[in-house]
Amino acid sequence: LIGRKGKHDEMERISQRVLGGESVAPYEAEGYRKDGTTVWTYVAASPLRDADGRITGNLAIIKDISEHKQAERKVLEHKEQLRLLTCESSLAEERERRRIATELHDCVIQNIIASKLKLARIRHVIPFSGSAQLLDEALDLLEQTIQDLRLLTFELSPPILYTSGLEAAIEWLIERYEEEHGIVPV
């Protein structure tokens, strides 16, 4: 182990500290081999003392942890990739929800409204026939379907989120739940 580029030899520094009576608390150090490749080491050292307390030598542990550091770096890289994929997935999911909501609003709801209007015109033409009640029931069912689809569209991709921002959307959501569940704000 040569030590850090441009610095004294790592072993020499440790020896000087230990022979001076200091222990070297465990730490990780980056160094370089003679061939110039990087090596990561775990280092700890303590002085050895005789019965009178005089330093007679030192005990040092230097362990090559390069593979561990490389694995650690790969784990961090994979975590970052996973974070980016999660963000991309969330954005794609949000775009798809918005696309579906737009499709429901622009096509499905509009077609149902047009059907309801046509049935209402038929209902006015045959006000006293036996099918009047069936037409009224169909019109009520279509109205309920329209309301359900509007709510579903809004829940799928709330326009308020895009027009007024997150804070306004959260306030709207709180108010809606308070109304639906009879919650009185304190």
Side-chain angles (χ1 to χ4, degrees):
L1 180 68
I2 294 176
R4 295 180 200 109
K5 285 185 180 176
K7 304 276 183 174
H8 297 314
D9 179 53
E10 190 77 15
M11 288 302 299
E12 182 63 33
R13 284 199 313 275
I14 292 170
S15 293
Q16 292 301 320
R17 287 179 61 192
V18 172
L19 291 174
E22 286 183 60
S23 287
V24 176
Y27 69 96
E28 295 175 356
E30 181 181 24
Y32 300 90
R33 294 185 177 105
K34 287 183 181 181
D35 67 1
T37 60
T38 301
V39 62
W40 276 94
T41 56
Y42 169 85
V43 180
S46 292
L48 294 175
R49 300 178 189 270
D50 63 15
D52 296 328
R54 289 187 298 255
I55 298 173
T56 59
N58 63 53
L59 173 64
I61 298 171
I62 300 176
K63 181 179 178 184
D64 184 344
I65 59 168
S66 299
E67 286 182 22
H68 172 77
K69 283 297 204 181
Q70 188 176 33
E72 203 174 71
R73 191 186 82 248
K74 283 183 181 180
V75 166
L76 290 174
E77 288 172 2
H78 289 299
K79 279 184 178 179
E80 179 61 15
Q81 287 175 343
L82 184 59
R83 187 190 67 76
L84 291 173
L85 286 173
T86 301
C87 287
E88 286 176 24
S89 175
S90 292
L91 288 172
E93 192 176 292
E94 181 58 31
R95 281 191 299 270
E96 184 62 10
R97 275 197 303 270
R98 190 158 187 177
R99 185 193 67 75
I100 291 169
T102 300
E103 195 70 24
L104 281 172
H105 179 269
D106 293 351
C107 296
V108 176
I109 293 175
Q110 301 307 320
N111 288 340
I112 292 173
I113 289 172
S115 298
K116 181 183 170 199
L117 291 172
K118 289 179 182 193
L119 283 175
R121 279 187 18 210
I122 292 170
R123 171 66 177 91
H124 288 297
V125 171
I126 50 172
F128 301 110
S129 75
S131 6
Q133 182 180 354
L134 289 175
L135 283 172
D136 287 340
E137 289 172 8
L139 289 168
D140 290 343
L141 186 59
L142 284 172
E143 181 58 34
Q144 184 58 50
T145 303
I146 291 167
Q147 295 308 315
D148 290 346
L149 280 171
R150 283 184 174 152
L151 182 61
L152 176 64
T153 301
F154 199 86
E155 287 176 346
L156 203 57
S157 183
I160 193 168
L161 182 61
Y162 304 104
T163 58
S164 302
L166 181 61
E167 187 177 333
I170 291 172
E171 287 174 10
W172 169 83
L173 190 60
I174 291 169
E175 289 171 8
R176 187 169 146 241
Y177 279 109
E178 286 173 351
E179 287 174 17
E180 279 183 17
H181 300 288
I183 299 171
V184 179
V186 182

